[in-house]
Each structure stands twice: as C-alpha cells, then as structure tokens.
Amino acid sequence: MKNILITGGSGLIGQRITQLLEQKGMEVAWLSRSAKSRKSFTWDIPSQQIDAEAMEWADAVIHLAGAGVADKKWTPQRKNEILESRTQSTQLLHQAIEAAKEKPTTFISASAIGYYGFDTGSQLLDENSQAGSDFLADVVIAWEKEVKKIESLNLRTVLLRIGIVLDAEGGALGEMLKPPVAAPLGNGDQWMSWIHIEDLARMFVFALEKTTLQGIYNAVGPNPATNQHLTQEAAKAKGKPYLGIGVPGFVLRLMLGEMARMVLGGNRVASQKIQKAGFEFEHENLKSALLDLFKK
C-alpha cells in the first residue's frame, strides 16, 4: 500500500497517524471540506458530495471523521450531529468506494468503547461483550453497521473501538487538568480504559500493515485505571495540586446534563485481542505514560 486517504486527518490522532505513515514512505492525503495546504481531496457530508478521484487514488482508507462527543452540551440538535457525522460520512465513503473502478483494498475505521454502554462497572469487557442501550451505544451500533456495509464490498475492514485517549494537548486529560486543582469525578471509582495517543496512532498503522487483521478490536491499553487513580497520577505528572474529594455527581449533572452520565460511568475494557494479533504497547503503565506525555 502506497496511497493512504484519511478522513479527520487534521485532528490530533489523524495528524500523528499521518506523520507515522509519511515516515514509512507512504503518501497521505486528507479528505476535507476544503482544500488544505497538504495533498487533499474534498467532500461535503450533508450534501453527500465527494471528489470521485479520491477512491481511485487510495490504496487504503483510514476513517476518523466524527463530531466530538464531549465538545458541546447534548442538545437534541447536537446529538443528531454526533450521530449523523458518523453514519452519513460512512455512507458517503461506501457510495464512493462502490462507484470506483479501482477500489481501495483496506478500510480502517475508528469506533468507540461507548458501544458497551455508559457504565458497566468492574466487569472486564471484550469485543464479544453485549452492546449498551444508551445514546452513545446507539451511535456506535449505527456507525459500525455502516462500516460493515463497506466490508461487504470485499475490502479488508478493521474497526478499532477507541477508549479514553491520553494526550497532553487536549482531549479528556486536558479537561481533567483544566481547573486549578485536580479532583476525581463523582466517587472516582468508575473505570477509565485509557490509551496513550502514540500507541493509538501506532495501532492504526499496525491495522493497516498487518494484512491478516480483520474485524473489531478494542483500542485501549492493557491496564485500565479508576477515575480517581488516573486523576491523581495525572495531577502528579503535571505538577498540579490534587484534591481527593470528588466533584459531586449532582453538580456534574447540572453542568453537563445527560453528558454527565459519560463521565460518571465507566468501562473496564480488555486489550488482549489486539495483543494476541501481535500489537505491542509502548505505554502499558499509567504513571510512565503520563510522565512521557508531560515531559513533551
């Protein structure tokens, strides 16, 4: 594979995957709403328009596009955006691949551990665990359903159910450490299945290059942590004060509405399947992963 097309390439994960692929000598193009300074093709999801040359050019597609689930409060309109940004973008890719004379051979898609539900307690979940029945679970179920339609076009298809991505520049970690004093959320006992952004980017590249890989894999590190433990270690690595008293659940519900269920709940998710397939984590330990992020 030489030519790799990435949707959502300008995000933190997409940028790092792009760097890794280019270091390997592959050519990367982004699928974007407008032309970028780097090589790109254009698409418009609401109008279901896409540059027909994109799929003819691509040997493989990495699909990361989707509205951020924690960027805004979950109004009915925002919930619809979260869902349709994933389902409609995947439908558009399906149509473009189906119409292409020279099709990509591989399709690697982001998914999310939200598939399992807002709060599954301490039970260790694998890829065969049942789906949840809440908003995020419904989004992921619908999203994966559209990806499986692409698989029916005889492309090797891999779905990576992403956990909580640890990155010093943004995401969950940035939000947790935004206040002057770091504190757990609720009672802090909820599980957080985290992954270092570098390992996540490497996992996408691994899925691309390992041609025997197919199906669904959890994109989480091997050592989930409770919210309290992760917050405490993050504060230590960042050099911020830590307060062991959790932010009360009712306060979070007042501030965030339904989205509070996402931060007050948690999942303990297993990574054994991707490890058995041959993927090796560089950042298995929470403390060393956080120190690595903040030393940068």
Side-chain angles (χ1 to χ4, degrees):
M1 285 178 286
K2 180 187 172 187
N3 297 337
I4 315 300
L5 181 69
I6 302 180
T7 78
S10 60
L12 289 171
I13 299 165
Q15 288 185 53
R16 187 61 190 128
I17 293 170
T18 298
Q19 290 169 356
L20 292 176
L21 293 175
E22 289 180 338
Q23 286 167 13
K24 288 174 170 282
M26 299 183 199
E27 189 168 358
V28 178
W30 291 351
L31 200 51
S32 308
R33 282 172 292 187
S34 57
K36 303 284 181 184
S37 55
R38 58 165 300 111
K39 182 174 179 64
S40 62
F41 297 93
T42 58
W43 68 341
D44 185 88
I45 297 166
S47 64
Q48 291 286 284
Q49 299 292 317
I50 187 169
D51 188 335
E53 292 180 16
M55 294 307 162
E56 302 284 351
W57 176 86
D59 296 316
V61 179
I62 295 177
H63 182 30
L64 306 171
V69 296
D71 293 354
K72 298 177 184 177
K73 203 165 182 177
W74 287 354
T75 62
Q77 182 182 355
R78 182 59 180 174
K79 287 169 80 170
N80 198 50
E81 286 173 10
I82 290 168
L83 172 65
E84 290 188 347
S85 66
R86 288 161 173 78
T87 55
Q88 291 185 359
S89 63
T90 312
Q91 287 164 4
L92 182 53
L93 294 172
H94 177 271
Q95 291 166 21
I97 292 168
E98 193 171 35
K101 291 177 183 175
E102 295 291 329
K103 302 182 194 308
T105 60
T106 304
F107 190 87
I108 315 294
S109 181
S111 183
I113 62 170
Y115 173 88
Y116 304 111
F118 280 132
D119 190 7
T120 49
S122 60
Q123 178 188 358
L124 188 63
L125 306 171
D126 64 20
E127 290 80 357
N128 295 317
S129 297
Q130 68 179 25
S133 57
D134 50 55
F135 166 62
L136 281 187
D138 289 345
V139 167
V140 180
I141 291 165
W143 187 10
E144 291 189 355
K145 185 179 177 183
E146 295 302 327
V147 174
K148 284 169 186 171
K149 291 178 186 175
I150 291 175
E151 187 176 28
S152 71
L153 299 176
N154 294 321
L155 277 72
R156 180 176 69 88
T157 304
V158 181
L159 276 150
L160 296 179
R161 287 181 181 156
I162 301 171
I164 295 159
V165 182
L166 298 188
D167 179 72
E169 294 181 34
L173 205 53
E175 291 300 314
M176 288 167 66
L177 297 175
K178 201 180 272 184
V181 177
L185 303 176
N187 60 23
D189 291 339
Q190 66 272 38
W191 286 92
M192 300 182 74
S193 294
W194 60 271
I195 185 168
H196 190 296
I197 190 169
E198 188 71 17
D199 277 334
L200 180 59
R202 289 178 54 250
M203 195 180 290
F204 272 94
V205 176
F206 175 81
L208 186 71
E209 294 185 320
K210 191 171 179 69
T211 56
T212 55
L213 210 69
Q214 189 148 350
I216 297 168
Y217 296 83
N218 290 328
V220 295
N223 294 298
T226 63
N227 177 269
Q228 183 172 22
H229 181 54
L230 195 150
T231 307
Q232 191 169 19
E233 290 297 334
K236 216 181 286 184
K238 181 72 172 171
K240 291 196 78 161
Y242 171 77
L243 182 67
I245 302 167
V247 181
F250 76 89
V251 173
L252 291 166
R253 283 187 283 271
L254 282 171
M255 290 170 56
L256 303 174
E258 186 184 355
M259 199 197 300
R261 293 181 64 193
M262 184 172 68
V263 297
L264 291 170
N267 308 108
R268 186 168 167 246
V269 179
S271 63
Q272 279 91 336
K273 186 179 177 185
I274 194 75
Q275 289 176 285
K276 284 180 182 176
F279 182 78
E280 296 180 3
F281 287 90
E282 289 183 354
H283 304 282
E284 293 190 4
N285 177 274
L286 177 62
K287 185 175 181 179
S288 61
L290 290 165
L291 288 172
D292 174 77
L293 287 168
F294 290 121
K295 80 181 180 189
K296 295 173 183 176

